[in-house]
Amino acid sequence: MKHNLVRQTIIETASRLFYENGYNLTGINEIIKEAGIAKATLYNHFRSKEDICIAYLQYKDQLFFEQLKPFIAEYDSGKDQLMALFDFLTAFYNQNDFNGCWCLNTISEIPKENKDIRAVIQTGKEVLITYIEELLSAIPEITEADQKVYAKQIYILYEGGLSESHLHQEIWPIETARTLCKKLIA
C-alpha cells in the first residue's frame, strides 16, 4: 500500500473503533489488527495513540463539514439555513451508528492535562461557531455584534441537543434545541 493510503486506513480504522468503543477502550493492537498492518507500520505513521487520536478528531471534523455544508446549501439562505443545522443534527441522530459527538466523547476520556487533544477539539468547535456566525450574517435583522453572541448561544443549543440526545437515546433534546433557536432568531 502507498504511504498515504496506509495512513488513511489507520485513521479510518481508529476512527471507527474510537467512535464505537471509546478512546480508552481501544488499544493500539486492536487498531493494528483491524487495519491489517504491522505494528512497525503503525508507528511509521504515528508516534503514539495520542497522535492517532488527533488525526481521528481532525478526520471526523473534516467529514462533518463535508457533509454539513452541502446539506445546509440545499436550504434558502438566512433563517432556513440556520435552522437546517438542527435538521442535519436530526439526520445524524437517526444514523444507525449514532454514538454522540466524537469530540465530547473523547474529551470525557482524557485527563485535563492533555492540552494537545483538548486544543484540537477546541479548534474544531471554534470552526463550528464561526460557521454559525456565517449563517447568521445572511439574516439582515441580526446585527454584526449580535451575530457573535447568537452564534455562541446557538452553538450551545446545538451541542446540548446533540449530547442530551445521546444520553437519553431520544430525539426530543434536538427538537427542543431547534425550537429554542427558532425563538432566539425570531
Side-chain angles (χ1 to χ4, degrees):
M1 271 196 240
K2 291 190 175 209
H3 184 80
N4 287 340
L5 183 58
V6 172
R7 179 179 171 78
Q8 190 61 31
T9 298
I10 294 167
I11 292 170
E12 289 175 9
T13 301
S15 293
R16 181 177 50 79
L17 293 170
F18 288 159
Y19 188 67
E20 287 174 5
N21 305 327
Y23 175 69
N24 289 334
L25 292 178
T26 301
I28 291 291
N29 290 335
E30 187 177 7
I31 295 168
I32 291 167
K33 180 181 175 193
E34 292 279 329
I37 58 170
K39 188 176 269 195
T41 302
L42 181 128
Y43 285 111
N44 189 34
H45 293 274
F46 298 97
R47 293 179 322 221
S48 66
K49 184 177 174 185
E50 181 178 310
D51 287 348
I52 298 170
C53 183
I54 288 169
Y56 151 67
L57 293 166
Q58 292 168 335
Y59 171 71
K60 290 290 280 186
D61 284 349
Q62 176 188 343
L63 283 178
F64 170 75
F65 280 104
E66 285 175 1
Q67 294 169 356
L68 176 66
K69 288 182 178 184
F71 184 94
I72 299 292
E74 294 291 319
Y75 291 78
D76 291 335
S77 182
K79 290 181 182 180
D80 288 346
Q81 283 191 342
L82 187 66
M83 297 310 299
L85 280 169
F86 296 93
D87 297 337
F88 181 81
L89 190 52
T90 298
F92 178 48
Y93 172 83
N94 286 323
Q95 291 177 348
N96 289 335
D97 66 345
F98 176 76
N99 196 24
C101 175
W102 55 92
C103 294
L104 296 178
N105 294 345
T106 303
I107 199 73
S108 70
E109 293 191 64
I110 65 164
K112 67 180 181 179
E113 296 81 22
N114 190 321
K115 292 180 179 155
D116 294 337
I117 290 176
R118 183 175 305 280
V120 170
I121 292 170
Q122 288 171 338
T123 298
K125 297 302 185 178
E126 288 165 8
V127 170
L128 178 56
I129 292 168
T130 300
Y131 181 66
I132 294 169
E133 280 182 46
E134 290 171 19
L135 294 175
L136 285 163
S137 71
I139 304 172
E141 311 88 274
I142 299 177
T143 67
E144 192 173 328
D146 283 343
Q147 289 169 17
K148 291 194 177 304
V149 173
Y150 284 7
K152 289 179 181 173
Q153 292 171 343
I154 293 165
Y155 162 78
I156 293 297
L157 291 172
Y158 184 92
E159 292 291 331
L162 173 58
S163 62
E164 291 302 307
S165 287
H166 180 226
L167 170 67
H168 294 283
Q169 294 296 293
E170 294 184 21
I171 197 74
W172 69 261
I174 295 170
E175 293 169 345
T176 301
R178 187 182 200 288
T179 300
L180 289 170
C181 180
K182 194 170 190 171
K183 287 179 181 180
L184 180 68
I185 61 169

